[in-house]
Amino acid sequence: MASRILINGAKGRMGHALTSAAADLGLTVGAAVDAGDDLSAGMKNADVVVDFSSHSATQTVLELAIAQRKPVVIGTTGHSAEAKKKLLVLAAQVPCVWAGNFSVGVNLLFALTRHAASILGSDYDAEVIEMHHRFKQDAPSGTAARLLEIILEERKLTAAALRHGRSGIPGARTSTEVGVHALRGGDVVGDHTVMFAGLGERIELTHKASDRAIFARGALRAAQWVVTQQPGVYDMQDVLGLK
Ligand code: NAD
C-alpha cells in the first residue's frame, strides 16, 4: 500500500508542486503543514515526512521524526556546513533521504562532474555557475554546493579553495581555487553549469530545470523508497541506484 505523505512547507512553491505531483501519481497526502501549524499532530497521520520548507525548521522536523519513528525526505537547502554536520547525526537515527536536488538529470550531472573532474586535472580551471529565481533565499544553491563538494573531493581540496565571486583586484587565478557564482533573477527554476577551462579548450556541463515538478516527482519517489529502508542517511543516487 502506498504510504501517506506529510508535506512540510505545503504553502510554498515546492509544497504546491508536491501536492499536484502526489495527485498525479495517485499518492495520499496525509498532512499538509506550513509555518505555525502543528507538525507533531500532522506526523501522526503520515507514514513519511517530506520537507521543503526552511533550513531553520530541519532540526524540529528531525527531532519529531525520531520521536515518532517516521522516515524523512529532506529537500530543504541553505544549512551552513556546521549546522548540516549536526543535523546529519540526527537524520541518521531514522531512514532519511537528504538531497540538494531530486531531479534525475541533476543526479546524472553529479556523476558526469565527478568523471570530468577525475580526468581533467588542475590544468583545467573549475568554476560552478548557478542561476535561480529572484525569490530564492540561500546562495549558492544546494545543488551548486554538492557540485563543489564533488570537485573538491576529486581534487583533494578543502572548502578553503572556494572563491565566491570575484571583485576588486583578486589577481591571477590560481590552479587550486574553485570559483562559484550565484545569479538571481526572474522566475528561473534552476540552472547549473560546471565549467572546466583549460588553455585552448573548455568543457561546460549544463543542466536547466524548467519545471519544479521534476523535484517533486523525485522527492515522492524518494519517499516511497525510504519507507522500506533501515535508519541511515541516503541520497538520490541511492534512490536511483546510481551508486
Ligand atoms: P518557498 O519560500 O516558496 O516555500 C517555503 C514554505 O515553507 C513557505 O510556505 C513557508 O511558509 C514554509 N515554512 C517556513 N518555515 C517553516 C517552518 N518552520 N515549518 C513549516 N513550514 C515553514 O520556498 P520553495 O521554493 O518552495 O523552496 C523550499 C526549500 O526547498 C528551499 O530550501 C529550497 O532551496 C529547497 N528546494 C530544494 C529542491 C531540491 O531538489 N532539493 C528543489 C527546489 C527547492
Side-chain angles (χ1 to χ4, degrees):
M1 200 184 76
S3 310
R4 294 165 306 158
I5 293 152
L6 179 148
I7 301 174
N8 195 39
K11 291 183 181 160
R13 280 172 290 262
M14 276 305 298
H16 286 117
L18 285 159
T19 305
S20 59
D24 290 348
L25 296 168
L27 302 175
T28 306
V29 177
V33 177
D34 206 275
D37 297 337
D38 188 343
L39 178 60
S40 178
M43 265 191 212
K44 296 195 171 80
N45 289 323
D47 306 304
V48 55
V49 177
V50 177
D51 178 73
F52 282 75
S53 60
S54 160
H55 62 94
S56 59
T58 313
Q59 184 168 339
T60 306
V61 169
L62 291 173
E63 284 170 355
L64 289 172
I66 292 166
Q68 297 194 30
R69 297 179 181 220
K70 304 284 181 183
V72 180
V73 173
I74 302 279
T76 301
T77 65
H79 311 89
S80 69
E82 204 179 318
K84 185 162 174 187
K85 208 169 153 192
K86 288 183 190 152
L87 292 167
L88 285 173
V89 175
L90 291 176
Q93 295 178 48
V94 287
C96 175
V97 177
W98 190 317
N101 196 304
F102 281 91
S103 100
V104 174
V106 160
N107 281 277
L108 177 62
L109 177 66
F110 291 152
L112 294 173
T113 298
R114 188 176 293 286
H115 193 47
S118 74
I119 291 173
L120 304 170
S122 56
D123 270 4
Y124 288 78
D125 301 327
E127 303 266 318
V128 173
I129 304 155
E130 57 105 327
M131 181 161 186
H132 283 82
H133 52 87
R134 64 170 69 142
F135 307 103
K136 187 164 176 62
Q137 301 289 313
D138 55 311
S141 67
T143 306
R146 181 67 195 128
L147 290 165
L148 292 163
E149 259 174 30
I150 290 169
I151 295 165
L152 294 178
E153 280 165 25
E154 287 300 322
R155 296 213 163 160
K156 303 193 175 17
L157 296 169
T158 68
L162 299 180
R163 292 287 169 273
H164 292 267
R166 294 183 182 86
S167 68
I169 307 175
R173 192 188 192 289
T174 64
S175 62
T176 51
E177 66 192 64
V178 181
V180 47
H181 312 277
L183 284 59
R184 292 289 174 267
D187 58 359
V188 176
V189 173
D191 294 355
H192 293 87
T193 293
V194 183
M195 188 180 290
F196 294 95
L199 298 179
E201 63 177 354
R202 180 166 88 233
I203 290 177
E204 295 181 10
L205 303 172
T206 295
H207 177 273
K208 293 187 179 186
S210 50
D211 189 339
R212 272 180 193 88
I214 57 164
F215 309 126
R217 282 197 297 268
L220 293 175
R221 182 165 169 176
Q224 298 302 299
W225 180 87
V226 77
V227 291
T228 64
Q229 303 304 312
Q230 295 297 315
V233 180
Y234 306 92
D235 61 21
M236 202 51 191
Q237 312 266 317
D238 294 304
V239 176
L240 297 172
L242 287 176
K243 281 190 174 160

